[in-house]
Structures are given as structure tokens and as C-alpha cells.
């Protein structure tokens, strides 16, 4: 697939599963269905179906109390309450698609969060709001702080000890999650959960990688953060999960979002001389074609005079 | 080498030990007769054979010289390992193109193997190779790629006050912490190439590599580029070669990343470069139809004596 090696194409449920090797230079946008779809769209000329979700309207008034103390680490934190309500509906495509890519289905809420992560590339987390005491704070861990982890793959999660280079989301009682890496058991989602706090955030890549490596806790979530996804994606992630939850929990009610976004991601502007293309490739690329390729990737092109 | 007798001797050395022909002994002892004797002694050791042959020869009245002529057909010959041979072949192609050779250490340090090659610590590009880190002082490891030699070469040239253009190839053994199977070994050989000049493009890369491949695989080989990623080149390509009608991935290459040129003490605004790394084992396996890479490192003479 051009810049991507397709390791295998397998049949699954009447459709096909492509196993694509995504190298580090593209991992910031291609560790998701949407990213790969965009690439295929550019290569084949087939337009991408625009299906950006619109989040449901906020019906609850109270927003969660979330404070970001370490702004160098946490570039953006979006949170909202959701009251799940009584009924649960299985959203038809979620479970089969997760299973097609080799992911276990766990519960409607966790599945929805995983689905959105694989779909758009934004890792998400949910806390049981009734088990959170006081405001939530995003900060560096203190040496010796401990957290009992969620471990959905085995029965009992383990407890780990943290150091100052790790980062946590805490409440009054202590760590709730290792930011960007793994959630804790204390406020983990269970069958009894009625109210949740949804997190869609952005964390420093090197710090997440260091912590995940140190604790041997590499996850799909940490993998995406360590490849530096844009903080802009957090908003899309929150909209998508909210829309999907509204489908899975028809009686759900959502609060407005809290959006701690101290330094907005700037659009990078690069100036370069188009003759560079030919001198590097040793082959000519017509300027119109070059502009077309860049625009199809959502990169605006302006010709400066001279 | 033929050994001739001075005077025609009657006794035929073979007549007593086998019911040979009743022909009268010919005064001219041909090489085949010596070979026959050597074959009879086939199961003896070299020294024993030599002694026995010399005794027999003396009894027969032969001049006791040139015993080597008797035992030489039995002396085993050594064989150049296919990896060595292929490395030398590829090197000679590049020597013709004006490249010189350089070697680097197998025990490398983190700076040359990673940081100088634009692979910083805490960056996912480190995951592209599984590294054998060496315990003890300093951040030492077993070289995971021969690309480290690019840095060492440029540093050496800078130190000697020599400016580009550079053309260097560097064969070397590299180590990856991987499970071994028919196509993966923890140790294997790469052959690195670096060309630095004022203007270098992918077209130069294609020309150089095509020439090298034709020399190794024959004139009907073609190569093609696919976009890829390596931290030390930009743009990066995977190179496929057409071998036996099939396209196979054979090496990674690209234009040297400006950060690597800087680490080598060169100004990327002034100089450009191309770099490539052949995976020698894969080429040897393709060329000779070897199906298991571990055979190349087994040390089994039954293997290497086939080359």
C-alpha cells in the first residue's frame, strides 16, 4: 500500500482485515482506521466518507472538577459526566469490528471507548464517577505512591509503586490512573457503574513512553500517546465517544465538557522551494500534482510570490 | 606434475598388493598410477599415507621425492564461506565505482548506534530494533546496524581535515535481540554504503544500486523503490530486486538525514548524501537457494564445503 507494507489480508465475517505495518513516522495519525482510510483515499482517489460525529446536547448541569497541575505533561484534558440511565443497547457494529481486529469485547462502555480509540486514534478512559472522591488532579506522581491497576486480561490486577517521572490522575484518596497508560481498579468501570467521568486527553509522548517501559505496561493507549498525536484530536475523540454512548445507552444524559487546553496547538507553516522536490528525487513532479497531493492530506498550500 | 623415472624398473609397486594387470611395468610412471596408490591408502591419515607411500616407493626403487605428488589429491581444500564471498563480490563492485572500505566495532556505544543516527532515547523509533545492551559501565551495546560506521567514518575524515566527496562501504556484523527461526538470526551481516557530495538524489541511489545488483544477480535483475521510513535517512526507501521472476525486498536506503550529516560534522546546507544497507544473509540465501539462515552460522563444514 505505497508507504505501508500490508502484512496480510484475511477474511473475517464477510469482510477483509488488513494487517498494516505502520512505521514511526506515520504513527501519529495512522494508528487508527480513519488515518489509514485517509491514506487509501489519497492513493485511490476514492473520497473518504465524512462521518464526524456530533456529540449529544448537554442535559446535566454539573461539570466534573478537573485540575491540571502539570501542564508540560498534560497538554489537554477534556472531561465530562455521563449518567448512563437504565437501558443498554448493543450497537451492532462495535463488537464484531473489535473482534475482527483481535480485541476482546468486555462491556458496552469499555467496548465503546476502545472502539473510538481504534477508529479515530484518540485513547479514552472512563472512571466510575460515584467512586471518585473530590476533584480530580493531573500531576506528577510522588515517590512511593501506589496504585492497584485494572487488569482486564487476568483476574487480579497488580499493584505498582510510582516515582516522580510517572504521572497520575488522582482524587482525594490517591491515584486513580497512571495517565496515558493504565487505569486503576478503585474507580474502574464495573457492572454496577451508573455514572461515569469520560476522559479524552493528550499527554507528553516521551514521559508516557518512559513510564510504560519502566512498569512494563505498554498498552494500545500508551502506544498512541508515545507517537505524539495532536491535542486537536481529543475534541473529536470526546464527540465520537459521546455519540456512541448515546447509542449504547439511549437514556444517557451528558454534562457539558471541561476543556483544559492551556496552549492551543499551532498550525505549522513550512516554507520550501519546490525545486527541492526535483533535486532530491532526481525526477520531476509537476507543481500542480505536488499541490494536489498535499491538499488531499488536509495540508493547505499557498504559493508565495517570486 | 609428472614424475619420471630414470631407468625403467621392473618391479611394479602395485603388482604385489593387488592382482593388477600383467602388463610389463612401463618405464614412464603416469600420474594415474600414483593416484591409484593414493586411493588404496584413502583411509589413512595424511602422515601415515606419506610414510607408507615413501616406503613403497623406496621398495619399488623410486626416487624418494615428490611424495606430495602422491598424497596431494587427498588433501582437503578449504572453502570460502558464502557470506565472505558475497561480501567480497559486492565490495569489488563498489571499489570499481570509487568506493573505499571501512570497518567498525561490533561493540558500539549508544551515541554512535542511536543518538547520532537521529534515534533519540524515549522515542518509538528505538523499537525498530531489539537491542543487546551490555552490562557494565557506559551505554554500550552490540551494534544493531552498520549505519553507525557512517558516523565514525565522517568523524574520522573531519578529524583528518578531509572534506567530501566521500564514498565508503562498510561490511559488518550486527546483532538483534530476536527469537531465531529459519529467516531470523540474532547475528547477521550488513553492508553499509555512504556517498556524500554536493548534490545527491534518489536517482544516484538507483543507479548505484542497480549496478550492484546486476553484478550480484546477473543482468536481468531490476530494482524498484518503495517509500518507507528509517530515522537516519529522509526520504527513505525499501528496495526490491527482481530475482527469478519475483520481487523481493533486499535492502533499505535513502538520502542521508540532515541531522546525521550534522552529527558527522558536515553542514547539511552544503552537503548531501545517500546511504544504503544490504542485508547480506538474505542475498546469499536468495542467490544460493538456502532456506535456513541458521545454516550460515552453524559452523558445519558439510555446509560451507558446498561453496
Amino acid at each position: 500500500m505505497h508507504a505501508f507494507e500490508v502484512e496480510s489480508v484475511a477474511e473475517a465475517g464477510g469482510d477483509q482485515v488488513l494487517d498494516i505495518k505502520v512505521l514511526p513516522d506515520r504513527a501519529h495519525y495512522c494508528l487508527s482506521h480513519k488515518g489509514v482510510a485517509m491514506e487509501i483515499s489519497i492513493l485511490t482517489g476514492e473520497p473518504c466518507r465524512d462521518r464526524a460525529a456530533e456529540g449529544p446536547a448537554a442535559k446535566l448541569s454539573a461539570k466534573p472538577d478537573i485540575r491540571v497541575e502539570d501542564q508540560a505533561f498534560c497538554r489537554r484534558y477534556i472531561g465530562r459526566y455521563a449518567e448512563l440511565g437504565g437501558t443498554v443497547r448493543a450497537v451492532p457494529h462495535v463488537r464484531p469490528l473489535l473482534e475482527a481486529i483481535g480485541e476482546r469485547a468486555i462491556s458496552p462502555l469499555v467496548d465503546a471507548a476502545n472502539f473510538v480509540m481504534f477508529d479515530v486514534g484518540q485513547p479514552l478512559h472512563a472512571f466510575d464517577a460515584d467512586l471518585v472522591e473530590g476533584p480530580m488532579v493531573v500531576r506528577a506522581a510522588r515517590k512511593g505512591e501506589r496504585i492497584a491497576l485494572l487488569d482486564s486480561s487476568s483476574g487480579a490486577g497488580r499493584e505498582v509503586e510510582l516515582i516522580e517521572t510517572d504521572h497520575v490522575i488522582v482524587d482525594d484518596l490517591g491515584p486513580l490512573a497512571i495517565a496515558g497508560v493504565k487505569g486503576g481498579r478503585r474507580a474502574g468501570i464495573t457492572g454496577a457503574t451508573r455514572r461515569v467521568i469520560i476522559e479524552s486527553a493528550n499527554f507528553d509522548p516521551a514521559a508516557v513512553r518512559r513510564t510504560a517501559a519502566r512498569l512494563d505496561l505498554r498498552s494500545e493507549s500508551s502506544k498512541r500517546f508515545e507517537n505524539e498525536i495532536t491535542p486537536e484530536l481529543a475534541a473529536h475523540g470526546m464527540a465520537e465517544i459521546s455519540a456512541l454512548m448515546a447509542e449504547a445507552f439511549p437514556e444517557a444524559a451528558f454534562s457539558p465538557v471541561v476543556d483544559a487546553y492551556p496552549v492551543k496547538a499551532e498550525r505549522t507553516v513550512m516554507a520550501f522551494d519546490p525545486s527541492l522536490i526535483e533535486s532530491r528525487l532526481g525526477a520531476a513532479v509537476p507543481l500542480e500534482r505536488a499541490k494536489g497531493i498535499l491538499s488531499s492530506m488536509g495540508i493547505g498550500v499557498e504559493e508565495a510570490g517570486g | 606434475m609428472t614424475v619420471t623415472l630414470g631407468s625403467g624398473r621392473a618391479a611394479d609397486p602395485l603388482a604385489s598388493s593387488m592382482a593388477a594387470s600383467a602388463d610389463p611395468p612401463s618405464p614412464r610412471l603416469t600420474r594415474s598410477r600414483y593416484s591409484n596408490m593414493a586411493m588404496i591408502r584413502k583411509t589413512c591419515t595424511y602422515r601415515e599415507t606419506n610414510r607408507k607411500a615413501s616406503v613403497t616407493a623406496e621398495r619399488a626403487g623410486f626416487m624418494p621425492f615428490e611424495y606430495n605428488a602422491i598424497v596431494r589429491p587427498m588433501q582437503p581444500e578449504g572453502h570460502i564461506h558464502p557470506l565472505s564471498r558475497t561480501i567480497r563480490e559486492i565490495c569489488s563492485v563498489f571499489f570499481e565505482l570509487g568506493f573505499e572500505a571501512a570497518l567498525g566495532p561490533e561493540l558500539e556505544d549508544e551515541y554512535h548506534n542511536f543518538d547520532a543516527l537521529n534515534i533519540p532515547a524515549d522515542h518509538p523509533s528505538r523499537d525498530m530494533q531489539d537491542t543487546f545492551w551490555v552490562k557494565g559501565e557506559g551505554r554500550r551495546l552490540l551494534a544493531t546496524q552498520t549505519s553507525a560506521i557512517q558516523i565514525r567514518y565522517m568523524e574520522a575524515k573531519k578529524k583528518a581535515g578531509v572534506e567530501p566527496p566521500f564514498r565508503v562501504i562498510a561490511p559488518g556484523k550486527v546483532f538483534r535481540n530476536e527469537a531465531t527461526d529459519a529467516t531470523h538470526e540474532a547475528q547477521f551481516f550488513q553492508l553499509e554504503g555512504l556517498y556524500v557530495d554536493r548534490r545527491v538524489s534518489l536517482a544516484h541511489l538507483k543507479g548505484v544500486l542497480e549496478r550492484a545488483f546486476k553484478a550480484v544477480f546477473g543482468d536481468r535483475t531490476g530494482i524498484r523503490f518503495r517509500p518507507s521510513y528509517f530515522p537516519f535517512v529522509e526520504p527513505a526507501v525499501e528496495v526490491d530486486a527482481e530475482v527469478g521472476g519475483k520481487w523481493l525486498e533486499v535492502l533499505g536506503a535513502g538520502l542521508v538525514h540532515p541531522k546525521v550529516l550534522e552529527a558527522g560534522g558536515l553542514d547539511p546546507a552544503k552537503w548531501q548524501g545517500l546511504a544504503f544497507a544490504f542485508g547480506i544473509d538474505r542475498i546469499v540465501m536468495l542467490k544460493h537457494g538456502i532456506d535456513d539462515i541458521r545454516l550460515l552460522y552453524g559452523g558445519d563444514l558439510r555446509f560451507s564445503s558446498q561453496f
Side-chain angles (χ1 to χ4, degrees):
Chain A
M1 205 184 99
H2 202 56
F4 299 85
E5 264 184 60
V6 178
E7 308 218 279
S8 68
V9 181
E11 287 284 332
D15 206 331
Q16 282 157 331
V17 181
L18 292 107
D19 190 356
I20 295 174
K21 197 168 173 184
V22 179
L23 297 172
D25 64 330
R26 309 259 182 169
H28 64 281
Y29 73 103
C30 272
L31 288 177
S32 69
H33 186 95
K34 207 163 181 183
V36 176
M38 179 180 83
E39 283 287 315
I40 294 175
S41 157
I42 295 168
L43 290 172
T44 60
E46 295 271 340
C48 248
R49 265 181 282 156
D50 187 14
R51 47 176 187 74
E54 251 188 60
K59 276 197 257 158
L60 304 173
S61 49
K63 299 194 286 190
D65 186 357
I66 301 171
R67 299 164 202 182
V68 176
E69 261 175 37
D70 190 343
Q71 289 184 359
F73 169 75
C74 176
R75 286 91 158 265
R76 189 173 191 182
Y77 199 103
I78 308 180
R80 84 188 316 178
Y81 278 130
E83 275 175 26
L84 300 178
T87 50
V88 184
R89 249 188 51 206
V91 182
H93 58 274
V94 170
R95 201 173 166 143
L97 287 178
L98 281 176
E99 285 174 355
I101 60 169
E103 289 295 311
R104 258 189 342 128
I106 297 166
S107 73
L109 180 52
V110 175
D111 293 350
N114 281 339
F115 183 85
V116 173
M117 174 177 70
F118 290 114
D119 193 26
V120 303
Q122 170 65 48
L124 298 162
H125 193 66
F127 301 94
D128 188 326
D130 295 322
L131 298 172
V132 174
E133 300 275 334
M136 293 200 335
V137 178
V138 186
R139 60 162 171 78
R142 291 177 198 136
K143 192 170 162 65
E145 272 186 309
R146 303 185 71 87
I147 176 169
L149 298 172
L150 264 183
D151 199 338
S152 40
S153 43
S154 62
R158 58 180 167 119
E159 194 172 274
V160 296
E161 190 170 307
L162 304 169
I163 59 175
E164 300 92 340
T165 52
D166 302 324
H167 295 82
V168 283
I169 296 151
V170 303
D171 66 357
D172 286 345
L173 301 176
L176 288 167
I178 305 176
V181 180
K182 198 92 179 176
R185 224 187 305 147
R186 181 158 58 88
I189 305 297
T190 63
T193 301
R194 287 285 153 263
R195 234 170 48 115
V196 297
I197 297 174
I198 310 168
E199 161 196 300
S200 179
N202 190 286
F203 304 115
D204 173 67
V208 168
R209 184 180 158 86
R210 220 173 288 135
T211 296
R214 187 183 82 82
L215 297 170
D216 196 19
L217 278 175
R218 294 197 151 95
S219 60
E220 296 287 350
S221 164
S222 71
K223 186 166 166 187
R224 283 160 178 80
F225 285 126
E226 72 181 45
N227 279 291
E228 184 122 37
I229 53 178
T230 168
E232 293 291 304
L233 198 53
H236 298 292
M238 182 53 91
E240 294 277 341
I241 184 66
S242 306
L244 194 54
M245 280 173 67
E247 268 192 72
F249 302 94
E251 289 172 28
F254 296 84
S255 77
V257 297
V258 167
D259 190 353
Y261 194 9
V263 181
K264 195 159 160 37
E266 290 278 315
R267 290 204 113 124
T268 315
V269 178
M270 277 173 50
F272 79 97
D273 182 351
S275 67
L276 182 76
I277 304 172
E278 181 165 351
S279 84
R280 286 307 173 131
L281 287 183
V285 178
L287 196 57
E288 282 312 305
R289 173 138 170 77
K291 278 160 65 174
I293 293 171
L294 289 171
S295 323
S296 64
M297 297 189 78
I299 299 170
V301 184
E302 245 179 51
E303 271 187 90
Chain B
M1 183 155 117
T2 41
V3 177
T4 49
L5 265 190
S7 53
R9 287 298 178 143
D12 182 312
L14 287 177
S16 52
S17 47
M18 43 191 243
S21 60
D23 293 342
S26 99
R28 183 176 45 84
L29 279 157
T30 62
R31 194 170 165 71
S32 62
R33 196 92 21 114
Y34 285 104
S35 306
N36 283 343
M37 247 163 72
M39 268 158 56
I40 290 163
R41 314 266 181 239
K42 185 159 64 171
T43 53
C44 302
T45 60
Y46 174 95
R47 207 187 293 154
E48 200 181 35
T49 311
N50 205 358
R51 185 177 51 78
K52 283 190 180 169
S54 68
V55 163
T56 315
E58 269 186 61
R59 280 210 204 111
F62 299 161
M63 297 294 277
F65 64 92
E66 302 297 6
Y67 298 125
N68 284 340
I70 298 169
V71 298
R72 186 170 291 152
M74 282 181 42
Q75 188 171 344
E77 276 184 350
H79 298 263
I80 308 259
H81 195 284
L83 284 173
S84 306
R85 188 185 300 282
T86 303
I87 291 175
R88 291 177 195 185
E89 264 175 32
I90 298 178
C91 283
S92 66
V93 172
F94 284 100
F95 292 154
E96 281 175 35
L97 292 169
F99 282 69
E100 61 173 341
L103 298 174
E106 289 178 4
L107 186 66
E108 262 294 0
D109 60 62
E110 184 182 23
Y111 174 74
H112 288 95
N113 196 83
F114 287 129
D115 300 286
L117 291 173
N118 196 30
I119 309 173
D122 296 326
H123 193 274
S125 49
R126 289 255 175 143
D127 292 338
M128 289 177 84
Q129 294 135 17
D130 296 307
T131 311
F132 282 111
W133 289 97
V134 174
K135 285 187 183 170
E137 259 192 58
R139 299 282 289 166
R140 294 181 310 163
L141 46 87
L142 294 178
T144 61
Q145 56 214 343
T146 41
S147 315
I149 305 174
Q150 288 182 35
I151 305 288
R152 290 189 177 278
Y153 180 85
M154 287 194 279
E155 284 174 344
K157 287 293 178 186
K158 177 130 184 133
K159 201 162 170 195
V162 177
E163 274 213 327
F166 300 148
R167 293 175 208 195
V168 63
I169 41 163
K173 196 175 204 183
V174 296
F175 304 84
R176 303 274 173 99
N177 190 359
E178 281 176 4
T180 60
D181 59 32
T183 53
H184 294 92
E185 247 288 1
Q187 58 180 348
F188 55 97
F189 282 88
Q190 286 185 331
L191 193 147
E192 189 81 15
L194 173 69
Y195 167 48
V196 178
D197 209 334
R198 294 227 180 257
R199 314 253 310 153
V200 180
S201 75
L202 284 184
H204 292 111
L205 184 62
K206 195 158 196 199
V208 163
L209 292 177
E210 212 159 53
R211 172 94 179 253
F213 268 95
K214 290 207 154 104
V216 175
F217 283 108
D219 255 317
R220 262 184 266 134
T221 316
I223 61 165
R224 70 182 183 194
F225 287 174
R226 277 183 289 118
S228 185
Y229 169 74
F230 302 102
F232 32 87
V233 285
E234 186 60 54
V237 293
E238 288 277 6
V239 183
D240 299 334
E242 197 173 13
V243 180
K246 287 200 300 182
W247 284 101
L248 299 159
E249 182 183 313
V250 282
L251 72 94
L255 299 183
V256 182
H257 197 287
K259 283 198 179 152
V260 175
L261 288 171
E262 276 172 3
L266 296 173
D267 179 0
K270 260 179 88 180
W271 302 105
Q272 301 174 1
L274 62 83
F276 51 85
F278 286 84
I280 302 289
D281 304 64
R282 190 155 158 73
I283 290 173
V284 167
M285 289 167 72
L286 285 173
K287 190 168 179 187
H288 297 286
I290 301 168
D291 56 5
D292 193 327
I293 191 175
R294 295 167 292 189
L295 288 169
L296 294 168
Y297 298 93
D300 193 335
L301 288 177
R302 292 172 299 173
F303 173 77
S304 30
S305 63
Q306 292 177 58
F307 297 93

